[in-house]
Amino acid sequence: MNVYDSARMGEALALGGYAAAQAPEEADLIILNTCHIREKAAEKVYSEIGRLKKLKEKNKNIILAVAGCVAQAEGEEMLNRAPILDLVFGPQNFQTLPNMLDELQTRRRQHIKGGIVQTAFPAAEKFNALKSMPRKPLSRQPTAFITIQEGCDKFCSFCVVPYTRGAEISRPADDIEREARALIAKGVCEITLLGQNVNAWYDARAAFGLAGLLKRLAKIDGLARLRFTTSHPRDMNDELIAAYGELPKLMPYLHLPVQSGSDRILQAMNRQYTSADYLRLIEQIRLVRPDIALSSDFIVGFPGESEEDFAATLDLLREVEYAQAYSFKYSPRPGTPAAEKEQIDDAIKTERLYRLQALLTKQQTAFNQAQKGKTLPVLFEKLGKKQGQMTGRSPYLQPVHVMIAESIRNSRDLCGQILPVHIEKCHANSLSGALVG
Ligand code: 5AD
Ligand code: SF4
């Protein structure tokens, strides 16, 4: 979501004459778009500001901004801790970036000191503004994100998102379709719909949810692939599950965070499902799309997690067999209920994370190995790291590296094309193979 927000900020700035710099040393304006989900992510911001301070000491005209959820959570406090900052604005405020920059220039002319802070929650206003901001991708990319939903009303007891991104809000279907069509007209052929709770998306006027939206977007010529992320198990309704069997453009990959396999911990997390509910969903999805690749998020060391609770998580993993997953040590976030509870020793968290990740790596490797010998449609996205190589994605989101003969490279631009690739090798996080035919 921050990648999407950053892209939109770039597009808004381009309208005002800005162009992307290649390095901070060359920039007039530097925006750090930040994440507050775990403490580590938030701390990185201050060390980065420390580095950028040196640039600003050399050139006072540089504008230094912090955007995103750290800015939202800390607001004025950021200016106290880092007075070198000129702008601090939350994730619901970036549409006013050109105005903030104008105001800053006026202030500078009048020698008014101090930075500007904007952390109100005008989410509906932002979505409205996005409508009139033309999508002008700064680089030619066959894949694109569209934020369709933001915020969260679920209040999982570990999570800061409902406080930083605000209440759940959906963009209207017409606006999303317009943005999709603009991207497709520019050569985009894969769209990933984004939202903190993307499957809670709902258009009250059109009276349909995410399944209806996917069906509508799948009708657009030129669009080859659709994805969405991140979903909550509670909103994985029958219609959406059925869509996996009905829409060939909907890619067979689902990120469905479970967080824990222990019902006791799931309840303490306020997730509002049991591990059996989750497993039932997986079974239903596999029934309509047997080749679906599954991904998840896990938290280890949530307050009160016993060895038995952790063992239940490992059991769930074995039951599901994930194609890939993200896993984290629980990180207490100020203001969230779980942060008030007695905390688990960090050494225990580290050890559990290690065991969990060892099993996940095994599963991911097995999933990748299973592709060997198959022919997969690969959407080519960019040049690979090696000379003569191109990199794309399989339907299961695996990066696939392919050496392309010079004669083909010279005669055709493969970027944005979906071509069959015979998978020959499996690496830690990617596959490689050869073009068929
Ligand atoms: N500590 C650790 N991980 C967290 N996540 C969210 N909040 C926390 C936290 N306080 C993880 C969840 C979520 C993912 C985006 O980040 O697993 O699904
Ligand atoms: Fe955070 Fe997701 Fe829970 Fe919302 S549903 S509170 S975004 S973890």
Side-chain angles (χ1 to χ4, degrees), residues 66-140:
V66 176
C69 289
V70 175
Q72 184 67 42
E74 305 208 352
E76 289 279 349
E77 192 48 39
M78 281 213 97
L79 288 185
N80 295 338
R81 203 169 148 187
I84 197 134
L85 292 174
D86 298 294
L87 295 176
V88 174
F89 56 98
Q92 307 300 353
N93 302 92
F94 67 76
Q95 76 284 4
T96 64
L97 186 52
N99 299 350
M100 286 188 274
L101 290 171
D102 282 350
E103 191 187 330
L104 193 71
Q105 298 299 5
T106 310
R107 281 193 186 196
R108 282 189 172 179
R109 275 195 299 275
Q110 296 170 349
H111 304 289
I112 300 173
K113 284 221 160 66
I116 298 172
V117 177
Q118 268 199 27
T119 51
F121 271 123
E125 207 178 280
K126 179 178 85 174
F127 282 163
N128 239 337
L130 288 183
K131 198 163 63 178
S132 50
M133 279 159 60
R135 281 294 321 240
K136 284 230 172 79
L138 298 178
S139 59
R140 225 193 116 235

Side-chain angles (χ1 to χ4, degrees), residues 97-325:
L97 186 52
N99 299 350
M100 286 188 274
L101 290 171
D102 282 350
E103 191 187 330
L104 193 71
Q105 298 299 5
T106 310
R107 281 193 186 196
R108 282 189 172 179
R109 275 195 299 275
Q110 296 170 349
H111 304 289
I112 300 173
K113 284 221 160 66
I116 298 172
V117 177
Q118 268 199 27
T119 51
F121 271 123
E125 207 178 280
K126 179 178 85 174
F127 282 163
N128 239 337
L130 288 183
K131 198 163 63 178
S132 50
M133 279 159 60
R135 281 294 321 240
K136 284 230 172 79
L138 298 178
S139 59
R140 225 193 116 235
Q141 255 288 84
T143 62
F145 291 130
I146 302 183
T147 289
I148 65 164
Q149 179 281 334
E150 249 188 80
C152 182
D153 296 336
K154 295 207 166 56
F155 290 91
C156 299
S157 61
F158 53 81
C159 184
V160 79
V161 166
Y163 311 94
T164 55
R165 286 257 172 188
E168 209 166 280
I169 176 169
S170 295
R171 287 176 73 187
D174 289 348
D175 293 359
I176 298 165
E177 185 175 343
R178 197 176 308 122
E179 197 170 322
R181 285 186 183 276
L183 288 165
I184 293 161
K186 295 221 158 60
V188 166
C189 59
E190 175 181 295
I191 289 178
T192 303
L193 305 176
L194 298 179
Q196 259 92 34
N197 267 286
V198 76
N199 57 344
W201 180 89
Y202 191 75
D203 185 322
R205 246 190 54 212
F208 56 71
L210 184 60
L213 180 67
L214 290 166
K215 280 174 199 161
R216 201 160 140 184
L217 297 179
K219 289 200 184 99
I220 306 177
D221 286 338
L223 180 72
R225 291 178 164 191
L226 271 169
R227 304 179 185 276
F228 59 86
T229 198
T230 290
S231 297
H232 192 292
R234 255 177 69 197
D235 294 313
M236 214 56 223
N237 60 42
D238 290 347
E239 205 192 344
L240 189 53
I241 293 173
Y244 274 102
E246 293 162 8
L247 299 175
K249 289 185 182 181
L250 182 57
M251 289 295 99
Y253 180 96
L254 175 63
H255 181 63
L256 195 62
V258 66
Q259 315 294 359
S260 166
S262 152
D263 289 344
R264 211 174 62 81
I265 295 298
L266 286 172
Q267 193 174 18
M269 286 176 164
N270 189 29
R271 292 292 290 182
Q272 304 196 30
Y273 54 80
T274 62
S275 59
D277 294 335
Y278 183 87
L279 291 172
R280 211 170 304 123
L281 282 176
I282 301 295
E283 198 184 315
Q284 285 170 345
I285 296 160
R286 282 194 164 139
L287 218 57
V288 294
R289 195 76 187 247
D291 69 329
I292 192 112
L294 292 160
S295 156
S296 182
D297 291 340
F298 295 93
I299 296 178
V300 298
F302 183 82
E305 186 189 67
S306 65
E307 187 52 37
E308 201 183 344
D309 293 317
F310 178 64
T313 301
L314 295 179
D315 284 345
L316 181 132
L317 235 85
R318 289 189 197 98
E319 187 91 11
V320 176
E321 293 196 29
Y322 288 97
Q324 80 104 46

Side-chain angles (χ1 to χ4, degrees), residues 362-377:
K362 226 166 106 186
Q363 296 193 344
Q364 182 176 345
T365 308
F367 183 79
N368 286 347
Q369 287 286 0
Q371 312 303 322
K372 242 167 50 182
K374 286 189 191 163
T375 296
L376 298 178

